Amino acid sequence: MVPAIAFIGCEERQELIADITAELKRRGYKIGLLKEEKLPEEPLTPLEVSAVARLSFGRLFLEQEVDNENFDFLINRIFDGYDLVIADGFAHIDRLPKLEVLKKGLYEKSLKGKVSGLLASISDYPVINGKNFSLENIKEIASFIEEHLIKTTRKDISAVLFVNGRRIPLKRYVRETLAGVIEGFISRLKMTENAREILIKVRI
């Protein structure tokens, strides 16, 4: 499972995201960035399709329909092997943990109580309602993300189950049992020595 956190609020949050990404990379983590963009309303192709991929000069651009149900699946498929995904935007995604960026005179209206998963605010002025970080304290923000998302996910999740693109919640006992059964089966196969991560896809 690849953990993700969204930065929402003030539109001028890109510099903060860049600084936090750089700090986490200095700590040895592999970071992915997912940016919310407003696409043109005209259809992508004359066909009624749900996804379009464009390959140009060694870069792959994927345009795909996404909703709350398959957002986790999409992150894990695109950013497999990453330690964290930083999402720029996506306030409407329910299960996505979020940090809101507030700036005096630019964006002071907190979304606390209006969006789900809001962990804290980051601002250039004191915010009394809830946990608050200073915009200048990059290392403290990075440590918060590291402790609450990266390290927690590494320690807590041994198996993740997706069915039809939707993540199915599993209790700890079920996760550990499922991981143990699969690991025991795979370990008896050739060329599976020192396996750290196993991905199985079943089509019924």
Side-chain angles (χ1 to χ4, degrees), residues 179 182-184 186-187 195-200:
I182 294 174
E183 181 184 4
I186 296 297
S187 64
R196 296 179 56 196
E197 185 175 71
I198 301 167
L199 176 64
I200 296 178

PDB file of all heavy atoms in Angstrom, residues 179 182-184 186-187 195-200:
ATOM      1  N   ALA A 179      -1.371 -12.492   4.149  1.00  0.00           N
ATOM      2  CA  ALA A 179       0.031 -12.342   3.749  1.00  0.00           C
ATOM      3  C   ALA A 179       0.821 -13.611   4.025  1.00  0.00           C
ATOM      4  O   ALA A 179       1.652 -14.028   3.213  1.00  0.00           O
ATOM      5  CB  ALA A 179       0.654 -11.160   4.499  1.00  0.00           C
ATOM      6  N   ILE A 182      -0.054 -16.430   1.377  1.00  0.00           N
ATOM      7  CA  ILE A 182       0.528 -16.153   0.061  1.00  0.00           C
ATOM      8  C   ILE A 182       2.041 -16.306   0.098  1.00  0.00           C
ATOM      9  O   ILE A 182       2.651 -16.901  -0.792  1.00  0.00           O
ATOM     10  CB  ILE A 182       0.130 -14.740  -0.406  1.00  0.00           C
ATOM     11  CG1 ILE A 182      -1.380 -14.675  -0.648  1.00  0.00           C
ATOM     12  CG2 ILE A 182       0.891 -14.362  -1.674  1.00  0.00           C
ATOM     13  CD1 ILE A 182      -1.888 -13.293  -0.979  1.00  0.00           C
ATOM     14  N   GLU A 183       2.670 -15.772   1.155  1.00  0.00           N
ATOM     15  CA  GLU A 183       4.127 -15.890   1.274  1.00  0.00           C
ATOM     16  C   GLU A 183       4.559 -17.351   1.366  1.00  0.00           C
ATOM     17  O   GLU A 183       5.540 -17.764   0.737  1.00  0.00           O
ATOM     18  CB  GLU A 183       4.607 -15.134   2.512  1.00  0.00           C
ATOM     19  CG  GLU A 183       6.113 -15.177   2.696  1.00  0.00           C
ATOM     20  CD  GLU A 183       6.568 -14.502   3.970  1.00  0.00           C
ATOM     21  OE1 GLU A 183       5.700 -14.065   4.752  1.00  0.00           O
ATOM     22  OE2 GLU A 183       7.790 -14.414   4.186  1.00  0.00           O
ATOM     23  N   GLY A 184       3.799 -18.171   2.124  1.00  0.00           N
ATOM     24  CA  GLY A 184       4.136 -19.576   2.251  1.00  0.00           C
ATOM     25  C   GLY A 184       4.038 -20.315   0.930  1.00  0.00           C
ATOM     26  O   GLY A 184       4.879 -21.176   0.613  1.00  0.00           O
ATOM     27  N   ILE A 186       4.248 -18.869  -2.191  1.00  0.00           N
ATOM     28  CA  ILE A 186       5.238 -18.334  -3.124  1.00  0.00           C
ATOM     29  C   ILE A 186       6.642 -18.820  -2.790  1.00  0.00           C
ATOM     30  O   ILE A 186       7.459 -19.069  -3.684  1.00  0.00           O
ATOM     31  CB  ILE A 186       5.193 -16.793  -3.117  1.00  0.00           C
ATOM     32  CG1 ILE A 186       3.837 -16.286  -3.629  1.00  0.00           C
ATOM     33  CG2 ILE A 186       6.328 -16.208  -3.948  1.00  0.00           C
ATOM     34  CD1 ILE A 186       3.541 -16.642  -5.066  1.00  0.00           C
ATOM     35  N   SER A 187       6.949 -18.991  -1.513  1.00  0.00           N
ATOM     36  CA  SER A 187       8.302 -19.369  -1.100  1.00  0.00           C
ATOM     37  C   SER A 187       8.706 -20.734  -1.616  1.00  0.00           C
ATOM     38  O   SER A 187       9.897 -21.067  -1.653  1.00  0.00           O
ATOM     39  CB  SER A 187       8.408 -19.336   0.426  1.00  0.00           C
ATOM     40  OG  SER A 187       7.554 -20.315   1.011  1.00  0.00           O
ATOM     41  N   ALA A 195      12.049 -12.455  -1.568  1.00  0.00           N
ATOM     42  CA  ALA A 195      10.889 -11.676  -2.002  1.00  0.00           C
ATOM     43  C   ALA A 195      10.485 -10.684  -0.921  1.00  0.00           C
ATOM     44  O   ALA A 195      10.364 -11.036   0.247  1.00  0.00           O
ATOM     45  CB  ALA A 195       9.719 -12.608  -2.324  1.00  0.00           C
ATOM     46  N   ARG A 196      10.301  -9.439  -1.294  1.00  0.00           N
ATOM     47  CA  ARG A 196       9.887  -8.406  -0.343  1.00  0.00           C
ATOM     48  C   ARG A 196       8.454  -7.954  -0.585  1.00  0.00           C
ATOM     49  O   ARG A 196       7.768  -7.525   0.324  1.00  0.00           O
ATOM     50  CB  ARG A 196      10.821  -7.192  -0.455  1.00  0.00           C
ATOM     51  CG  ARG A 196      12.264  -7.492  -0.063  1.00  0.00           C
ATOM     52  CD  ARG A 196      13.128  -6.266  -0.224  1.00  0.00           C
ATOM     53  NE  ARG A 196      12.604  -5.152   0.543  1.00  0.00           N
ATOM     54  CZ  ARG A 196      12.974  -3.880   0.348  1.00  0.00           C
ATOM     55  NH1 ARG A 196      13.848  -3.582  -0.601  1.00  0.00           N
ATOM     56  NH2 ARG A 196      12.468  -2.919   1.103  1.00  0.00           N
ATOM     57  N   GLU A 197       8.026  -8.038  -1.838  1.00  0.00           N
ATOM     58  CA  GLU A 197       6.667  -7.601  -2.172  1.00  0.00           C
ATOM     59  C   GLU A 197       6.105  -8.533  -3.233  1.00  0.00           C
ATOM     60  O   GLU A 197       6.794  -8.879  -4.201  1.00  0.00           O
ATOM     61  CB  GLU A 197       6.664  -6.156  -2.673  1.00  0.00           C
ATOM     62  CG  GLU A 197       5.272  -5.611  -2.914  1.00  0.00           C
ATOM     63  CD  GLU A 197       5.303  -4.134  -3.281  1.00  0.00           C
ATOM     64  OE1 GLU A 197       5.745  -3.825  -4.419  1.00  0.00           O
ATOM     65  OE2 GLU A 197       4.930  -3.304  -2.456  1.00  0.00           O
ATOM     66  N   ILE A 198       4.867  -8.961  -3.045  1.00  0.00           N
ATOM     67  CA  ILE A 198       4.228  -9.892  -3.971  1.00  0.00           C
ATOM     68  C   ILE A 198       2.942  -9.272  -4.490  1.00  0.00           C
ATOM     69  O   ILE A 198       2.106  -8.790  -3.697  1.00  0.00           O
ATOM     70  CB  ILE A 198       3.907 -11.228  -3.271  1.00  0.00           C
ATOM     71  CG1 ILE A 198       5.195 -11.869  -2.724  1.00  0.00           C
ATOM     72  CG2 ILE A 198       3.195 -12.185  -4.218  1.00  0.00           C
ATOM     73  CD1 ILE A 198       4.943 -13.017  -1.763  1.00  0.00           C
ATOM     74  N   LEU A 199       2.771  -9.251  -5.802  1.00  0.00           N
ATOM     75  CA  LEU A 199       1.554  -8.710  -6.399  1.00  0.00           C
ATOM     76  C   LEU A 199       0.851  -9.831  -7.153  1.00  0.00           C
ATOM     77  O   LEU A 199       1.427 -10.460  -8.035  1.00  0.00           O
ATOM     78  CB  LEU A 199       1.877  -7.554  -7.346  1.00  0.00           C
ATOM     79  CG  LEU A 199       0.713  -6.945  -8.113  1.00  0.00           C
ATOM     80  CD1 LEU A 199      -0.282  -6.306  -7.134  1.00  0.00           C
ATOM     81  CD2 LEU A 199       1.208  -5.917  -9.111  1.00  0.00           C
ATOM     82  N   ILE A 200      -0.409 -10.084  -6.801  1.00  0.00           N
ATOM     83  CA  ILE A 200      -1.200 -11.140  -7.449  1.00  0.00           C
ATOM     84  C   ILE A 200      -2.453 -10.509  -8.047  1.00  0.00           C
ATOM     85  O   ILE A 200      -3.164  -9.747  -7.366  1.00  0.00           O
ATOM     86  CB  ILE A 200      -1.586 -12.240  -6.459  1.00  0.00           C
ATOM     87  CG1 ILE A 200      -0.339 -12.950  -5.931  1.00  0.00           C
ATOM     88  CG2 ILE A 200      -2.527 -13.250  -7.113  1.00  0.00           C
ATOM     89  CD1 ILE A 200      -0.631 -14.016  -4.898  1.00  0.00           C
TER      90      ILE A 200
END
